[in-house]
């Protein structure tokens, strides 16, 4: 089988003081759109990913996709919402791998990070 073409894509924060750049999944058949949900782990806006070939879709947090919460998923390289095991997120469908605290800090609240929704 011929491998699917890849396209390098990034989510870039429009705030000049932030400068955050986050890679997105690179399959050429995937399209991205903002999704009206905030990740309870990092407070980033969630992105809807649509495969234009299969018409399947899923959600991902751009921050958690690149910086997997290790207390919840110590062995994952990337994380999509359906794989996440956060106990209070309605997009999470996964199971904790390390028996961690669900991505919550020592205070029991998600760490505060800026919302980033740049050009898709």
């Amino acid at each position: 089988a011929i491998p699917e073409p890849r396209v390098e894509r990034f989510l870039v924060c429009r705030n000049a003081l932030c400068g955050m750049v986050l890679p997105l999944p690179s399959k050429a058949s995937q399209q991205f759109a903002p999704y009206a949900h905030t990740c309870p782990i990092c407070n980033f806006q969630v992105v809807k990913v649509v495969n234009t070939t299969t018409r399947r879709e899923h959600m991902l947090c751009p921050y958690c996709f690149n910086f997997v919460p290790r207390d919840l998923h110590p062995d994952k390289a990337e994380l999509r919402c359906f794989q996440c095991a956060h106990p209070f997120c309605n997009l999470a469908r996964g199971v904790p791998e390390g028996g961690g605290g669900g991505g919550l800090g020592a205070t029991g609240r998600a760490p505060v990070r800026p919302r980033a929704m740049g050009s898709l």
Side-chain angles (χ1 to χ4, degrees):
I2 298 172
E4 183 172 347
R6 302 260 177 203
V7 178
E8 296 285 328
R9 289 183 266 204
F10 301 89
L11 190 66
V12 179
C13 182
R14 292 181 182 178
N15 180 342
L17 299 175
C18 175
M20 184 170 285
V21 177
L22 296 170
L24 292 171
S26 60
K27 287 185 180 177
S29 64
Q30 292 177 323
Q31 293 181 338
F32 304 92
Y35 186 72
H37 182 81
T38 301
C39 175
I41 295 172
C42 65
N43 294 320
F44 268 76
Q45 182 176 352
V46 171
V47 174
K48 179 165 78 170
V49 182
V50 179
N51 184 313
T52 58
T53 304
T54 65
R55 303 215 185 266
R56 292 180 62 166
E57 63 183 44
H58 66 275
M59 310 312 158
L60 70 79
C61 166
Y63 191 86
C64 291
F65 176 75
N66 288 284
F67 301 100
V68 178
R70 295 289 166 213
D71 63 328
L72 199 57
H73 300 285
D75 299 325
K76 290 227 181 283
E78 299 175 337
L79 185 68
R80 288 155 174 82
C81 292
F82 67 85
Q83 298 169 312
C84 185
H86 190 278
F88 306 115
C89 180
N90 63 354
L91 299 177
R93 301 285 183 258
V95 176
E97 295 168 25
L104 302 177
T107 64
R109 297 186 332 201
V112 177
R113 291 198 174 81
R115 290 184 183 194
M117 199 66 222
S119 301
L120 290 177

